[in-house]
């Protein structure tokens, strides 16, 4: 199985910062936003991932490279015009070829593994499984009407919803998707909608399923949601990068960045920003190391400043 991440958007709702930094590369709780998508795909057993980019292509390629730094094999394709999700995924057809694949919206963050939904797709033999989440106001979303776990109809932003199951930004497809894309026509807003493609699969008698997700789900595309997601990630306990070395008591909202080394310490309500040379010994409470520390002597200065501030 392969992965496709849609990351071609201009991030206009996060201007002006996204005029200079592509939205998928914005730092969120000590990591690139895109890394949360990478983690989910790797947890699903996926190594080969295609990132659909747009005008952000040069920076995305330079920053992410071949994916080896993230434990993945990355490819890139460019969506020539912003014409909707179904239009974007079409550019990944040659990459996916005849394989099954996970389609992941690059600005979505989840607090639970999506691997069980990929396994359900495999076990049921359906042609498409869509992550859905119960919401209080489904009128703002694409909504799945279901019979059991089968989707029978999709309605985009219904005025009178028949279901509270919102489409939640992750889809698993078989190669049958490529058969319907050529027959899509633009929606009322002039885009090729992924929900229309899925509805076409349903109308042609294919087995399309819903996977109900009960965890936290964030769309990080606006400033308020971006900040909410960051707050959730840093307040939900200790977040430790996979390659950090930590031998310490972590209390409260602690984030330890990639490459950091923390020994014989107690960190409490402390955010340590990334840097392979960050080396902490001793206790820190309520401190933010706001910048990359380049040497042990620099770090000593930070700690002394912290101790003097107390």
């Amino acid at each position: 199985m392969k992965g496709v991440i849609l990351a071609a958007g201009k991030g206009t709702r996060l201007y002006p910062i996204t005029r200079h930094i592509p939205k998928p590369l914005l730092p969120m709780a000590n990591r690139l936003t895109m890394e949360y998508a990478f983690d989910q795909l790797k947890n699903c057993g996926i190594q080969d991932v295609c990132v659909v980019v747009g005008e952000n292509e040069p920076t995305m390629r330079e920053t992410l490279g071949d994916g080896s730094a993230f434990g993945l094999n990355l490819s890139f394709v460019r969506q020539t015009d912003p014409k909707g999700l179904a239009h974007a995924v079409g550019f990944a057809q040659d990459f996916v070829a005849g394989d099954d694949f996970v389609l992941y919206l690059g600005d979505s963050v989840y607090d639970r593994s999506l691997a069980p939904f990929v396994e359900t797709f495999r076990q049921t033999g359906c042609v498409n499984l869509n992550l859905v989440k119960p919401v209080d106001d489904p009128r703002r979303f694409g909504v799945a009407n279901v019979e059991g776990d089968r989707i029978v109809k999709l309605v985009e932003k219904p005025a009178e919803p028949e279901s509270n199951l919102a489409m939640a930004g992750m889809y698993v497809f078989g190669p049958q998707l490529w058969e319907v894309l050529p027959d899509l026509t633009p929606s009322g807003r002039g885009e090729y909608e992924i929900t229309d493609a899925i509805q076409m699969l349903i109308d042609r008698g294919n087995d399309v399923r819903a996977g109900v997700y009960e965890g936290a789900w964030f769309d990080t595309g606006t400033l308020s949601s971006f900040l909410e997601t960051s707050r959730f990630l840093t307040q939900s306990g200790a977040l430790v990068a996979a390659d950090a070395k930590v031998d310490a008591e972590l209390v409260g909202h602690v984030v330890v960045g990639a490459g950091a080394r923390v020994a014989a310490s107690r960190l409490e309500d402390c955010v340590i920003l990334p840097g392979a040379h960050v080396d902490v010994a001793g206790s820190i409470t309520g401190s933010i190391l706001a910048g990359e520390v380049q040497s042990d002597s620099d770090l000593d200065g930070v700690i002394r400043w912290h101790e003097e501030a107390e």
Side-chain angles (χ1 to χ4, degrees):
M1 183 173 285
K2 295 177 179 176
V4 175
I5 301 175
L6 301 187
K10 296 180 180 180
T12 54
R13 294 178 297 172
L14 285 170
Y15 275 0
I17 189 170
T18 46
R19 291 185 184 274
H20 307 283
I21 304 173
K23 181 171 64 173
L25 303 182
L26 290 175
M28 176 178 292
N30 212 29
R31 309 178 73 198
L32 302 178
T33 299
M34 181 70 82
E35 288 189 68
Y36 295 98
F38 291 164
D39 285 352
Q40 287 286 359
L41 293 178
K42 287 190 293 184
N43 196 41
C44 293
I46 294 170
Q47 293 295 314
D48 297 321
V49 176
C50 179
V51 182
V52 181
V53 295
E55 295 177 0
N56 57 12
E57 180 179 7
T59 306
M60 294 287 285
R61 284 183 178 272
E62 180 181 0
T63 303
L64 302 178
D66 64 1
S68 57
F70 308 99
L72 294 170
N73 304 316
L74 286 186
S75 300
F76 298 87
V77 294
R78 183 164 183 164
Q79 182 186 20
T80 54
D81 297 297
K83 295 182 178 178
L85 301 186
H87 181 258
V89 74
F91 289 91
Q93 183 172 355
D94 289 343
F95 167 83
V96 173
D99 293 326
D100 300 332
F101 69 101
V102 171
L103 177 63
Y104 192 107
L105 302 190
D107 53 7
S108 292
V109 173
Y110 308 89
D111 74 332
R112 299 184 187 180
S113 171
L114 303 180
F117 301 99
V118 173
E119 185 59 28
T120 297
F121 171 86
R122 290 187 172 119
Q123 290 180 357
T124 61
C126 63
V127 305
N128 168 226
L129 183 141
N130 305 283
L131 199 69
V132 299
K133 179 174 173 57
V135 297
D136 293 333
D137 184 8
R139 293 173 297 177
R140 300 186 296 114
F141 302 91
V143 173
N145 295 343
V146 300
E147 293 179 359
D149 63 351
R150 292 177 182 259
I151 298 178
V152 295
K153 184 173 66 171
L154 291 174
V155 184
E156 190 67 31
K157 297 180 176 62
E160 298 183 4
E162 299 176 23
S163 163
N164 70 337
L165 296 177
M167 300 288 280
M170 178 269 202
Y171 318 78
V172 192
F173 286 105
Q176 295 83 356
L177 176 66
W178 311 125
E179 299 173 7
V180 303
L181 288 187
D183 298 328
L184 281 181
T185 57
S187 66
R189 59 179 186 167
E191 296 191 351
Y192 294 89
E193 310 283 0
I194 196 67
T195 49
D196 289 346
I198 295 168
Q199 185 65 54
M200 196 172 290
L201 287 172
I202 296 169
D203 294 342
R204 295 182 181 182
N206 291 286
D207 184 358
V208 173
R209 308 248 176 160
V212 179
Y213 178 78
E214 299 286 357
W217 162 48
F218 300 92
D219 170 359
T220 62
T222 67
L223 178 59
S224 60
S225 63
F226 188 91
L227 294 174
E228 180 187 5
T229 309
S230 298
R231 188 177 303 112
F232 175 86
L233 290 171
T234 56
Q235 292 184 353
S236 58
L239 297 172
V240 180
D243 61 348
K245 296 180 180 179
V246 178
D247 179 14
E249 181 183 8
L250 306 181
V251 181
H253 317 323
V254 178
V255 179
V256 180
R261 296 178 300 176
V262 182
S265 302
R266 174 186 171 92
L267 303 185
E268 184 172 353
D269 294 338
C270 172
V271 178
I272 300 177
L273 299 184
H277 301 286
V278 174
D279 199 347
V280 178
S283 298
I284 300 177
T285 300
S287 175
I288 298 177
L289 306 186
E292 185 169 1
V293 178
Q294 298 294 339
S295 70
D296 288 348
S297 61
D298 288 339
L299 181 63
D300 288 342
V302 173
I303 291 180
R304 283 198 299 269
W305 175 86
H306 168 73
E307 293 173 344
E308 291 169 2
E310 290 183 335

